[in-house]
Amino acid sequence: MTETSNDNSTVLSVTGLSVDFPLQRGVVHAVRNVSFDLKRGRTLALVGESGSGKSVSARSLIQLVESPGRIVAGEVRLLTGDTPVEITRLGPKSPLIRAIRGRRIGLIFQEPMSALSPLHTIGDQIDEAIQLHLHVEKAEARKRTIELMRQVEIPAPEQIVDRYSFEYSGGMRQRVCIAMALACDPEILIADEPTTALDVTTQAEILDLIKRLQQQLGMAVLLITHDMGIVAEVAEEVAVMCQGEIVESGNVDNIFHAPQHPYTQRLLGATLKLEQASELRLDTATGSGSKLILSVRNLCKHFEQGGGWFRKKTPVVKAVEDVSFDLHRGENLGIVGESGSGKTTVGRMIMRILEPTSGAVRYTGDDGAGDSDVLKLTKSELKRYHAAVRLVFQDPFASLNPRMTVKQIVGDPLMINKISRGRPLQERVAELLEMVGLSADMMDRYPHAFAGGQRQRVGIARALALEPRVIIADEATSALDVSVRSQILDLLLDLQKRLDLSFIFIAHDISVVRYFCDRVLVMRQGRVVEVGDAETICTAPAEPYTQALISAVPNPDPRNKRMLHRTRFNSVLAGKASAAPIN
Amino acid sequence: MGQATTTAPHPHASPDKSVTDGRLQGLERAGAWRLFWWKFKKHRLAVGSGILIILIYLISMFAEFLAPYAPGDYGARYTYAPPQGLHIWDGENFSLHVLGYDVEFNPESYEREFIVDPEQKVPLGFFVKGSPYKMWGLFASDIHFLGPLDPSQPMYLLGADRLGRDMLSRIIYGTRVSMTVGLVGVSLSLFLGVLLGGISGYFGGHIDNAIQRLIEFLLAIPTIPLWMGLAAAIPPTLPPLQVYFMITIILSLVGWTGLARVVRGRFLAMRNEDFVTAARLDGAGEVGLILRHMLPSFSSHIIAAVTLAIPVMILSETALSFLGIGLRPPVVSWGVLLQEAQNIRSVATAPWLLTPGLAVVITVLALNFLGDGLRDAADPYAD
């Protein structure tokens, strides 16, 4: 890079780009008449919810559209170098486009595990990228590899360059992908949801890194994301996509503080709504003085691995260690933690899908049955317990049997427990569907006819069928788009008010917990770090780990970039860095 | 990726958009089997193969009627008679006929030579009277689909074997035995495979371990010696029908392992599916869980696996019979017919003795294509 990074000339210009997917039942216009410019040293964020065509747009810049998609109109002009290159004219397999991919335009994918080959060492994979484009000797490529790895802040690159991708942690893998994308000093970096698969603290580090490298190298960055918070933290320019079209674009400050298009306003509204406690909850909030409904004491789960005929026994993994909490009637308790913190395991043990290694779970029904020790229930008692304490799953696609109609799915618990059948069953299912905001005439449809949010509503209707007291929602909204997410949360709050429910809400997303929960339990590596009032935890946490976690959450306000001034929990960062066995 | 290609209603489109959209109506209410059929229909080769397989099974059902002769009918005058061409035009008008033979004795090689005589026309007809038979052993008839109008005249569309028996008739009768061996054998394998594979996959642990080791043991034994050993245990005095059943049992005892592995794999994958966990939390018992949730989810996979197992059975029967340790004459199966083509000399003088092999190849290929198509369609929710 000879130019300085404050020269903001346009390096790539897209005009009127359209991509079609010819399918059996007609053509899907995935991208319609999209235009934008990438400028040197600047970040353009392409924002949109799933299915908005943002990834397809980005991929068409380097002719990587998946079959049967085709670029049907538009120009993509690469303006760096001596003569501008019209990328859409190049064949998807021509040597010309391959010289651009990786060489002049680098790409980072969402899933760093599948972007790396498990068969080759990390070093060899970066070497290959360098050798392909720069035609240098192996030894020289390796020198550059080490240098790149140092540039992306991988500690002690000489020692770990010959390890395999599975020996690296998620964040480290994404660093490797960035190193590969940077191997040939590209002028443009396309980052397709680079941090979606990562934990929030790791996400902050990776975004930091991209930002820093951009400043050093003067790259133009195209960041594709669904998260308005990330946009506010790192982007200068924003283009909002909806159903294949760019509905609004402009300066980040304008987009956030003076959005023009109703879709942008709605998207921002949904994001900002989740930045505070729900109004619905404030009305209903019951103090912790009310009756105890579920209490968990010293719950532990140890997994023993291996131990087959010829396998060596490996040390015990302590997934959950000494977790205790109480759930009161009408209360929403959030369990927050990063991946591997054991939060899902806790939920599954309360449901007895997993058997705890030790500890106690007591459930107090309001039918006067008194306390019951959940871990000692007989089969028929357990069936009654499962009717009172229900689980809502994370994945609205996997949790509904694709071979059953909605009526069968929602009615199944009623039929199995011999509560009703025939005509009354149908009426009850209709009532349940209306309760979750679906129309009753949808009950003959199959799950594949519904979008994610509607499916999650079906899942909630199934959970409500047996008139439960407690609902454990395991990441129930994390697979949903942000606007749908807040709708589902509002639905749950509304149901809570009407049906006198208590929730255990397991999530990795702090904003969801803040919106929904009264009290929050922060977990890390199987242990409880901190318990407290949701508002306190989210604004003034006491523990350093919680502080680091909270401050790493992107703030959807470009005037107040929280993530860049975050508190760092050093032992966490060190722990992450050495998650791969590196010393 | 691929998200942009989804046709599901967009979450922000009005939720009821799909209801008003008549084109989507069918898709929404389409159950798994209808989706399965839609996906299968796109696989043209598989659909064609499926039709062919249905035809072959129809042939085996109506063998007596479709075959011009009974399988044992022999004509001493026509040993190793070559195939006759079927003519439909006699120069002036439509007339279905074959040309007769002039038999000459070659004084040098002491062989009889058949020379086609263009003057000698053997008129043919549909639904002609021929040798009597009992359809499915129930009612007697002597009507054949195609045959010479005068039963004493020769018609050998695929030639004759060393006793002057019509190859075409014998292949048609062979279809019945060979195809049903496949079907009966597979049903037995299916029973064993689903039972043991299901137990293995559902209960896991030591039971799984034991069954898997048993399967590995069975797979480690070379098949042909195993067949030979088992076939040798069949008393030679047994009537042909019982031999037939014994052979089927032998084939399925060796062949269930593949199916068991498929079923076990599906069970293992299914056991941890969210919707199965959900049903368990709904209070479903083990039996309900298996019958209502798990089995329907992989029944189409089982059908595909079964379709791919039938050709293996057919080939095994053919191989056994060809080696002389399977079915024996007078039972007619493709393998038994191929026994005739065991020596070079007869193949050299009468290459049409290999036509049963062609029938085997066509059937096995068609079944494989069909199975491939079914397997691809087996999970209509894959994309």
Side-chain angles (χ1 to χ4, degrees):
Chain A
M1 285 291 154
T2 45
E3 290 99 334
T4 51
S5 59
N6 47 27
D7 162 25
N8 290 330
S9 58
T10 302
V11 290
L12 183 103
S13 156
V14 180
T15 38
L17 182 73
S18 296
V19 181
D20 280 1
F21 282 78
L23 296 179
Q24 285 279 310
R25 290 182 305 269
V27 177
V28 175
H29 305 288
V31 175
R32 281 179 283 187
N33 196 15
V34 160
S35 308
F36 56 82
D37 289 337
L38 294 182
K39 296 193 178 75
R40 193 183 306 282
R42 310 270 277 182
T43 301
L44 171 72
L46 210 51
V47 203
E49 296 186 296
S50 53
S52 60
K54 53 191 191 301
S55 281
V56 180
S57 310
R59 279 165 175 256
S60 29
L61 302 190
I62 43 172
Q63 293 271 17
L64 269 183
V65 184
E66 281 177 0
S67 161
R70 269 181 319 117
I71 299 174
V72 290
E75 287 190 334
V76 178
R77 292 166 69 82
L78 186 59
L79 300 168
T80 55
D82 304 328
T83 46
V85 184
E86 169 58 50
I87 291 180
T88 45
R89 296 258 168 76
L90 308 176
K93 291 195 175 105
S94 69
L96 291 168
I97 187 75
R98 274 189 277 136
I100 292 177
R101 270 182 215 153
R103 179 82 177 82
R104 298 172 67 182
I105 304 181
L107 184 64
I108 315 172
F109 296 95
Q110 174 171 350
E111 194 40 79
M113 191 66 198
S114 51
L116 294 172
S117 160
L119 293 177
H120 300 101
T121 64
I122 292 295
D124 285 345
Q125 291 181 60
I126 307 179
D127 288 353
E128 194 196 359
I130 297 169
Q131 282 177 301
L132 271 179
H133 290 292
L134 301 181
H135 312 289
V136 294
E137 292 294 307
K138 173 96 183 139
E140 196 163 329
R142 178 49 59 97
K143 243 169 71 189
R144 174 98 177 106
T145 299
I146 302 275
E147 188 191 313
L148 280 167
M149 287 173 79
R150 195 165 289 129
Q151 209 170 15
V152 296
E153 295 160 19
I154 294 175
E158 292 88 351
Q159 286 161 35
I160 61 165
V161 68
D162 286 321
R163 302 225 179 171
Y164 291 89
S165 61
F166 48 82
E167 296 179 89
Y168 281 59
S169 66
M172 294 294 271
R173 273 183 226 135
Q174 196 57 289
R175 284 170 193 272
V176 170
C177 289
I178 295 172
M180 279 169 83
L182 296 181
C184 309
D185 283 332
E187 293 130 6
I188 297 161
L189 182 70
I190 301 177
D192 187 354
E193 302 267 10
T195 55
T196 308
L198 304 175
D199 280 326
V200 57
T201 47
T202 322
Q203 160 173 299
E205 287 168 51
I206 294 291
L207 291 175
D208 267 3
L209 175 69
I210 294 178
K211 197 83 207 160
R212 244 188 337 270
L213 290 168
Q214 180 185 23
Q215 277 159 7
Q216 269 171 33
L217 306 172
M219 288 180 299
V221 174
L222 176 63
L223 178 77
I224 292 138
T225 182
H226 64 277
D227 187 335
M228 290 305 268
I230 293 179
V231 176
E233 298 279 356
V234 299
E236 280 98 25
E237 312 274 336
V238 185
V240 183
M241 281 194 83
C242 176
Q243 299 189 26
E245 283 173 293
I246 291 187
V247 295
E248 187 168 4
S249 60
N251 181 284
V252 66
D253 200 68
N254 288 342
I255 293 282
F256 275 84
H257 290 285
Q260 299 301 313
H261 194 275
Y263 177 74
T264 316
Q265 290 165 353
R266 214 165 52 219
L267 197 63
L268 267 173
T271 310
L272 291 173
K273 194 168 133 191
L274 295 183
E275 283 297 299
Q276 68 236 328
S278 165
E279 287 159 18
L280 278 165
R281 207 187 79 218
L282 295 177
D283 314 337
T284 49
T286 43
S288 54
S290 67
K291 241 174 85 189
L292 202 66
I293 190 157
L294 197 70
S295 92
V296 172
R297 287 288 170 272
N298 311 97
L299 208 57
C300 294
K301 180 70 187 176
H302 298 171
F303 288 105
E304 280 177 40
Q305 293 175 322
W309 278 356
F310 300 108
R311 271 161 277 169
K312 224 165 65 179
K313 266 204 169 172
T314 49
V316 182
V317 175
K318 294 181 178 176
V320 173
E321 186 71 359
D322 199 22
V323 169
S324 306
F325 61 84
D326 291 326
L327 178 71
H328 299 274
R329 243 179 96 167
E331 185 186 39
N332 294 343
L333 177 72
I335 301 182
V336 186
E338 298 188 299
S339 54
S341 61
K343 55 191 191 301
T344 295
T345 312
V346 169
R348 303 220 150 201
M349 284 193 289
I350 297 172
M351 292 310 289
R352 281 195 59 191
I353 298 170
L354 284 174
E355 292 299 327
T357 309
S358 63
V361 179
R362 301 194 74 79
Y363 169 72
T364 317
D366 49 359
D367 47 3
D371 275 15
S372 53
D373 188 342
V374 174
L375 304 180
K376 294 200 181 77
L377 295 177
T378 62
K379 221 168 174 178
S380 62
E381 285 169 337
L382 189 65
K383 213 167 160 176
R384 263 207 305 283
Y385 171 70
H386 277 158
V389 182
R390 303 283 287 165
L391 186 67
V392 174
F393 292 82
Q394 167 175 7
D395 187 346
F397 291 79
S399 60
L400 305 180
N401 188 342
R403 278 152 218 272
M404 291 166 95
T405 60
V406 166
K407 184 167 83 182
Q408 286 169 317
I409 290 170
V410 177
D412 207 34
L414 297 169
M415 243 168 58
I416 291 168
N417 291 288
K418 300 191 178 67
I419 291 170
S420 62
R421 56 190 324 150
R423 187 101 207 123
L425 176 80
Q426 192 157 338
E427 278 160 16
R428 173 76 176 135
V429 170
E431 186 192 346
L432 285 165
L433 287 181
E434 266 153 23
M435 208 185 270
V436 296
L438 293 173
S439 120
D441 54 320
M442 289 179 178
M443 68 169 110
D444 289 324
R445 294 197 207 163
Y446 286 87
H448 63 247
F450 294 92
Q454 288 175 310
R455 286 182 188 218
Q456 199 58 290
R457 285 172 194 264
V458 174
I460 293 167
R462 170 176 61 192
L464 293 177
L466 297 175
E467 297 177 3
R469 313 303 324 143
V470 179
I471 289 185
I472 299 179
D474 186 359
E475 299 273 12
T477 58
S478 53
L480 307 173
D481 279 327
V482 59
S483 55
V484 185
R485 190 179 297 170
S486 66
Q487 287 167 17
I488 294 288
L489 291 173
D490 283 346
L491 169 72
L492 291 176
L493 287 171
D494 179 53
L495 290 169
Q496 171 170 45
K497 204 148 110 186
R498 280 157 60 187
L499 305 174
D500 185 25
L501 297 170
S502 314
F503 279 94
I504 293 179
F505 202 90
I506 299 166
H508 70 279
D509 185 343
I510 314 283
S511 60
V512 167
V513 169
R514 183 178 196 179
Y515 185 73
F516 191 80
C517 297
D518 305 307
R519 274 193 315 137
V520 179
L521 194 79
V522 182
M523 283 187 73
R524 176 172 174 256
Q525 293 174 9
R527 290 173 180 277
V528 177
V529 177
E530 191 172 357
V531 195
D533 179 63
E535 206 50 45
T536 319
I537 292 270
C538 292
T539 50
E543 291 291 320
Y545 173 75
T546 319
Q547 284 164 2
L549 191 70
I550 299 288
S551 66
V553 179
N555 188 19
D557 180 2
R559 293 179 191 169
N560 178 17
K561 298 190 180 185
R562 179 168 57 198
M563 191 186 82
L564 294 180
H565 312 289
R566 67 183 184 277
T567 330
R568 285 161 205 256
F569 181 49
N570 283 330
S571 77
V572 182
L573 299 191
K576 283 278 166 200
S578 60
I582 297 157
N583 293 312
Chain B
M1 274 301 303
Q3 46 183 229
T5 64
T6 175
T7 48
H10 194 273
H12 307 293
S14 78
D16 284 329
K17 179 187 155 203
S18 48
V19 180
T20 51
D21 190 345
R23 207 162 48 95
L24 280 175
Q25 189 73 267
L27 179 71
E28 283 166 353
R29 291 173 198 269
W33 291 109
R34 207 183 311 169
L35 291 176
F36 178 78
W37 172 239
W38 285 346
K39 202 167 170 192
F40 176 70
K41 265 200 310 197
K42 282 188 223 157
H43 204 306
R44 297 249 172 79
L45 188 61
V47 174
S49 303
I51 293 169
L52 188 65
I53 293 300
I54 292 173
L55 283 179
I56 291 173
Y57 272 110
L58 282 176
I59 288 174
S60 73
M61 269 174 86
F62 297 100
E64 290 94 339
F65 168 67
L66 291 170
Y69 301 99
D73 285 358
Y74 60 92
R77 284 189 61 200
Y78 299 104
T79 57
Y80 291 131
Q84 294 162 310
L86 193 63
H87 298 267
I88 54 168
W89 192 253
D90 69 351
E92 283 152 21
N93 41 26
F94 175 79
S95 110
L96 199 62
H97 67 275
V98 290
L99 299 177
Y101 299 112
D102 263 348
V103 185
E104 274 181 14
F105 189 74
N106 185 332
E108 278 172 36
S109 66
Y110 294 101
E111 273 175 348
R112 285 198 296 175
E113 284 178 355
F114 292 88
I115 293 159
V116 174
D117 179 3
E119 294 301 305
Q120 205 182 323
K121 282 184 188 135
V122 180
L124 307 180
F126 290 107
F127 306 108
V128 292
K129 281 186 191 297
S131 44
Y133 57 86
K134 261 191 141 181
M135 192 70 184
W136 301 323
L138 292 177
F139 41 89
S141 168
D142 57 356
I143 304 294
H144 293 263
F145 177 65
L146 178 70
L149 293 175
D150 176 1
S152 68
Q153 284 190 298
M155 184 193 76
Y156 295 107
L157 293 176
L158 288 180
D161 68 358
R162 72 189 151 83
L163 295 177
R165 291 175 296 199
D166 179 31
M167 285 305 289
L168 177 64
S169 307
R170 288 172 70 75
I171 290 174
I172 289 177
Y173 275 93
T175 308
R176 172 172 290 177
V177 173
S178 291
M179 294 303 282
T180 48
V181 163
L183 214 56
V184 176
V186 160
S187 349
L188 210 61
S189 299
L190 178 67
F191 176 74
L192 282 173
V194 170
L195 189 73
L196 289 168
I199 290 174
S200 185
Y202 190 79
F203 294 103
H206 290 299
I207 302 172
D208 180 34
N209 222 340
I211 292 175
Q212 289 312 305
R213 299 299 87 76
L214 174 70
I215 289 175
E216 276 152 24
F217 176 71
L218 280 176
L219 286 176
I221 306 171
T223 13
I224 291 189
L226 181 63
W227 285 337
M228 291 174 92
L230 290 170
I234 303 173
T237 50
L238 233 48
L241 193 69
Q242 286 190 25
V243 175
Y244 168 81
F245 278 114
M246 296 293 271
I247 293 289
T248 342
I249 291 171
I250 290 171
L251 289 180
S252 47
L253 279 181
V254 181
W256 62 271
T257 50
L259 271 169
R261 284 190 157 181
V262 171
V263 172
R264 168 180 179 263
R266 299 305 308 171
F267 257 108
L268 283 181
M270 202 63 67
R271 204 167 52 162
N272 294 326
E273 284 278 344
D274 271 357
F275 70 82
V276 174
T277 309
R280 186 174 288 133
L281 294 180
D282 286 345
E286 300 291 303
V287 179
L289 215 56
I290 295 175
L291 292 184
R292 223 169 121 67
H293 293 273
M294 296 170 81
L295 218 49
S297 300
F298 58 82
S299 48
S300 47
H301 290 268
I302 292 181
I303 291 172
V306 162
T307 316
L308 290 172
I310 294 177
V312 178
M313 289 280 168
I314 292 176
L315 283 177
S316 312
E317 183 276 329
T318 309
L320 273 181
S321 303
F322 179 77
L323 292 175
I325 49 177
L327 300 172
R328 280 182 285 263
V331 174
V332 184
S333 81
W334 291 338
V336 171
L337 292 179
L338 280 172
Q339 273 182 45
E340 298 274 332
Q342 256 176 358
N343 65 67
I344 300 276
R345 207 189 70 85
S346 53
V347 173
T349 46
W352 50 89
L353 289 178
L354 287 172
T355 42
L358 199 65
V360 174
V361 170
I362 291 172
T363 312
V364 168
L365 275 182
L367 278 166
N368 277 326
F369 288 142
L370 174 67
D372 267 353
L374 290 173
R375 192 179 48 197
D376 289 350
D379 193 355
Y381 305 102
D383 49 31

